[in-house]
Amino acid sequence: MKLAVALVCLSVAVMVVMIYQAVRQEMNLRDLKSRMVENAAEVKRKEESIVETKGKIQTLKQDVLAVNKKVDALWETKKTKTNSEAEFKKNLASCNTEKASAENKKTETGEAIKKLQDEQEVAKKKAEEDIKSLKQQILDRDKAICAFVDTTKEEARKLCGITETPK
């Protein structure tokens, strides 16, 4: 009987341990199920945030592409403006050389005009002197003729400058 009591006690102890293990496993299973539901919800939230982040990344990539295109366009315009600036500088340099040569021609022309004016003045003075000497020669000739001219004729009086009529 002792054996039966010991066996009953032993079987009750084994049953209590088994019930304890079953309850513990059941609690673990409930805990795991609740954690699994929480993890599933958390995974779903993270997946949604990942999808949202992917969408934001796509829009940012599109924005970056648009900005890169604008940057490329700006580089091109800068390049063309730099080229046109170089052309303008080249044209400016050629215009400056043309201006300098035109100014040189202007000064040369001014000097030539001044020289011609001086020569003209000299020629004018020489011509006036020649005219005076010719007038003097004519007057001298006229005086020589007046000595021999008949003063009774009106033309002769005009030529010699006589105003009174002869008697």
Side-chain angles (χ1 to χ4, degrees), residues 2-145:
K2 276 187 171 192
L3 188 60
V5 173
L7 199 55
V8 170
C9 279
L10 187 63
S11 41
V12 169
V14 169
M15 287 255 300
V16 168
V17 169
M18 284 181 73
I19 289 174
Y20 173 74
Q21 285 293 330
V23 169
R24 195 171 132 223
Q25 281 182 354
E26 191 63 34
M27 293 297 274
N28 280 341
L29 281 176
R30 277 189 185 183
D31 187 41
L32 286 175
K33 279 184 183 179
S34 67
R35 280 179 37 203
M36 197 167 87
V37 169
E38 288 176 6
N39 286 342
E42 188 176 334
V43 166
K44 204 169 215 174
R45 279 189 305 245
K46 287 185 179 181
E47 284 177 351
E48 288 173 358
S49 69
I50 289 172
V51 168
E52 185 179 316
T53 306
K54 280 185 180 180
K56 287 180 182 178
I57 288 173
Q58 287 296 333
T59 57
L60 289 175
K61 279 184 181 179
Q62 289 173 354
D63 292 344
V64 167
L65 287 175
V67 168
N68 283 341
K69 286 180 183 178
K70 286 181 182 178
V71 167
D72 289 341
L74 289 174
W75 277 111
E76 287 297 320
T77 55
K78 181 184 177 189
K79 185 178 179 181
T80 56
K81 286 183 181 184
T82 304
N83 290 342
S84 63
E85 181 183 0
E87 269 187 54
F88 288 139
K89 284 183 180 179
K90 184 178 177 183
N91 289 340
L92 179 64
S94 66
C95 285
N96 284 337
T97 56
E98 287 177 15
K99 179 183 173 185
S101 66
E103 287 177 356
N104 287 340
K105 285 182 182 180
K106 179 182 173 185
T107 55
E108 288 174 3
T109 306
E111 290 173 0
I113 288 173
K114 188 174 181 181
K115 186 177 179 182
L116 287 175
Q117 286 175 346
D118 292 343
E119 289 176 3
Q120 184 180 9
E121 287 291 322
V122 169
K124 190 176 184 182
K125 286 180 182 179
K126 185 177 179 183
E128 285 177 1
E129 289 175 9
D130 288 345
I131 289 171
K132 281 184 183 180
S133 68
L134 288 174
K135 280 184 180 180
Q136 187 64 40
Q137 286 177 3
I138 290 171
L139 286 174
D140 291 342
R141 187 190 61 186
D142 285 347
K143 284 182 185 178
I145 292 175

